[in-house]
Amino acid sequence: MQLLKRLQISEWFQNQLIRKKIMFIYMPVVIIPLCILGFVSYHVYTDAIVKKTVKSVSDNSTLIITRMNGILTNTESAANMLTLNLNKVIFEERISKNEQISDLQLYTQITNQLSYAKLIFPDVESVAFIDKNNVVYGSNLSMETNSELVPGDRMLKKLELTNGSNIWFPMERRNYLVTSPEQPVLTLGKRIVNINTGEQQGYLILNVRESSLSAIYRNIGSIQAGSFIIAHSNGLVVSALDTDKILSPLPEGALRNWVLRAVQPNVIQPSPEGKMLLVSTDIKKLGWKRISTVPYNSLTQDTTKITRLII
């Protein structure tokens, strides 16, 4: 039976025109290599573009994180400078003059030092000094609003257990020790002691606005339709160009799982919007990750066109 079928096919082929015989023989020889070439070229070009994108994002991230670290360092320098200056204002001058000064004079001297620190370190949005009697001295009057909430504050409780080192607190919104309750702030705290006796004199609170951080990457390294966020290692968004996302947890899904568990700095993940290239860079001082998301389709659209042209 099979032999009969083969004979029929052979007879059918022999009866075809020479032009058709050539097409039947040579078309596979031409089409199959083209398909292989198209397939290979697609993957080679796609891999090259993904690697180039990862490098570009990583380079931009390095620049952005360097700037952010500069803001953090300047804020810490402001706290250290204020520690010395407040010691001089509160202790040394009063002892050297051997006289009591009025509360108004003390308030003026302290707030002048806070304002001076802001002038020298413009990355610091606002500063407050809380003395051991829980009196609040602010660089802005708004920093002294709701001062009745300050005693017992969790930040002060944590600072009380320190030896005067700089302590960073999480990004948050609050309605005291800030200039605007609506604006998220990153806060640095420091316990102030008499540098001669070690006696506690109060606490420093320095605020950096989230908008100062997001402004850094607003115009740096915008890759096609990609976007940037900064998330804490617990999955909470602490900085983003879309203000509605700030201080909201990452939605359940591949991105959140990757942030919480990932050991790979870059990966391609599915999402409701399609495949996404995810690239992360650690901001170790704060336990944050800067995450760049780039639609995979936007990277491969040119290679798809090339492949179609080849085929």
Side-chain angles (χ1 to χ4, degrees), residues 60-70 216 281-284 290:
N60 289 330
S61 294
T62 300
L63 175 59
I64 290 167
I65 291 173
T66 298
R67 284 187 166 186
M68 286 187 177
N69 283 333
I216 295 173
T281 309
D282 291 335
I283 305 175
K284 295 182 179 179
R290 182 183 177 276

Side-chain angles (χ1 to χ4, degrees), residues 130-136 146-157 160 176-177 203:
I130 302 98
D131 70 12
K132 56 186 177 182
N133 297 317
N134 291 316
V135 177
V136 178
N146 296 328
S147 59
E148 68 277 4
L149 300 175
V150 172
D153 173 70
R154 59 176 179 78
M155 293 188 294
L156 303 191
K157 287 181 178 179
E160 190 175 359
Y176 61 97
L177 298 178
Y203 307 94

Side-chain angles (χ1 to χ4, degrees), residues 42-82:
Y42 174 81
H43 284 279
V44 169
Y45 282 117
T46 298
D47 186 59
I49 289 173
V50 168
K51 288 181 178 178
K52 182 179 178 181
T53 302
V54 169
K55 185 179 185 305
S56 177
V57 171
S58 299
D59 290 344
N60 289 330
S61 294
T62 300
L63 175 59
I64 290 167
I65 291 173
T66 298
R67 284 187 166 186
M68 286 187 177
N69 283 333
I71 291 177
L72 302 181
T73 300
N74 287 340
T75 305
E76 292 174 350
S77 297
N80 295 334
M81 184 190 78
L82 280 168

Side-chain angles (χ1 to χ4, degrees), residues 249-287:
L250 289 168
E252 293 293 336
L255 175 59
R256 179 178 175 83
N257 293 336
W258 178 66
V259 170
L260 295 178
R261 304 184 182 93
V263 293
Q264 292 180 304
N266 55 80
V267 69
I268 296 171
Q269 288 278 16
S271 74
E273 296 79 25
K275 281 186 177 181
M276 303 292 287
L277 172 64
L278 309 178
V279 183
S280 76
T281 309
D282 291 335
I283 305 175
K284 295 182 179 179
K285 181 176 285 190
L286 300 173

Side-chain angles (χ1 to χ4, degrees), residues 28-302:
V29 175
V30 174
I31 291 174
I32 292 174
L34 279 177
C35 290
I36 294 173
L37 177 61
F39 178 80
V40 171
S41 64
Y42 174 81
H43 284 279
V44 169
Y45 282 117
T46 298
D47 186 59
I49 289 173
V50 168
K51 288 181 178 178
K52 182 179 178 181
T53 302
V54 169
K55 185 179 185 305
S56 177
V57 171
S58 299
D59 290 344
N60 289 330
S61 294
T62 300
L63 175 59
I64 290 167
I65 291 173
T66 298
R67 284 187 166 186
M68 286 187 177
N69 283 333
I71 291 177
L72 302 181
T73 300
N74 287 340
T75 305
E76 292 174 350
S77 297
N80 295 334
M81 184 190 78
L82 280 168
T83 298
L84 298 175
N85 290 353
L86 290 176
N87 262 275
K88 183 177 180 181
V89 167
I90 298 173
F91 310 118
E92 293 181 12
E93 289 189 0
R94 292 194 336 196
I95 292 173
S96 62
K97 293 179 180 179
N98 196 25
E99 62 180 17
Q100 293 291 327
I101 62 173
S102 67
D103 291 341
L104 179 59
Q105 287 176 309
L106 181 62
Y107 178 87
T108 301
Q109 289 180 348
I110 291 176
T111 53
N112 282 346
Q113 291 299 325
L114 302 182
S115 298
Y116 178 68
K118 278 184 56 183
L119 183 65
I120 300 299
F121 299 98
D123 293 326
V124 178
E125 187 264 341
S126 53
V127 194
F129 172 69
I130 302 98
D131 70 12
K132 56 186 177 182
N133 297 317
N134 291 316
V135 177
V136 178
Y137 303 81
S139 59
N140 313 76
L141 287 176
S142 51
M143 288 288 285
E144 301 170 12
T145 303
N146 296 328
S147 59
E148 68 277 4
L149 300 175
V150 172
D153 173 70
R154 59 176 179 78
M155 293 188 294
L156 303 191
K157 287 181 178 179
K158 185 171 182 177
L159 292 173
E160 190 175 359
L161 302 176
T162 68
N163 58 0
S165 56
N166 295 318
I167 302 295
W168 286 102
F169 293 97
M171 184 79 71
E172 64 177 353
R173 293 186 182 93
R174 58 177 185 267
N175 60 351
Y176 61 97
L177 298 178
V178 291
T179 56
S180 172
E182 291 79 25
Q183 293 291 334
V185 292
L186 177 66
T187 300
L188 175 71
K190 188 177 182 69
R191 180 170 173 256
I192 302 298
V193 299
N194 185 324
I195 57 178
N196 295 315
T197 65
E199 180 186 2
Q200 178 175 317
Q201 297 300 319
Y203 307 94
L204 269 178
I205 296 294
L206 299 90
N207 295 322
V208 177
R209 279 195 176 182
E210 182 281 330
S211 56
S212 298
L213 303 180
S214 58
I216 295 173
Y217 57 87
R218 186 174 301 277
N219 297 315
I220 292 182
S222 178
I223 300 176
Q224 300 179 33
S227 62
F228 306 112
I229 60 171
I230 296 177
H232 193 274
S233 54
N234 62 9
L236 185 71
V237 177
V238 296
S239 180
L241 296 178
D242 183 356
T243 55
D244 292 334
K245 294 181 179 179
I246 299 173
L247 297 182
S248 298
L250 289 168
E252 293 293 336
L255 175 59
R256 179 178 175 83
N257 293 336
W258 178 66
V259 170
L260 295 178
R261 304 184 182 93
V263 293
Q264 292 180 304
N266 55 80
V267 69
I268 296 171
Q269 288 278 16
S271 74
E273 296 79 25
K275 281 186 177 181
M276 303 292 287
L277 172 64
L278 309 178
V279 183
S280 76
T281 309
D282 291 335
I283 305 175
K284 295 182 179 179
K285 181 176 285 190
L286 300 173
W288 292 354
K289 289 179 180 288
R290 182 183 177 276
I291 302 165
S292 305
T293 61
V294 185
Y296 191 74
N297 289 340
S298 67
L299 300 178
T300 60
Q301 58 186 1
D302 290 336

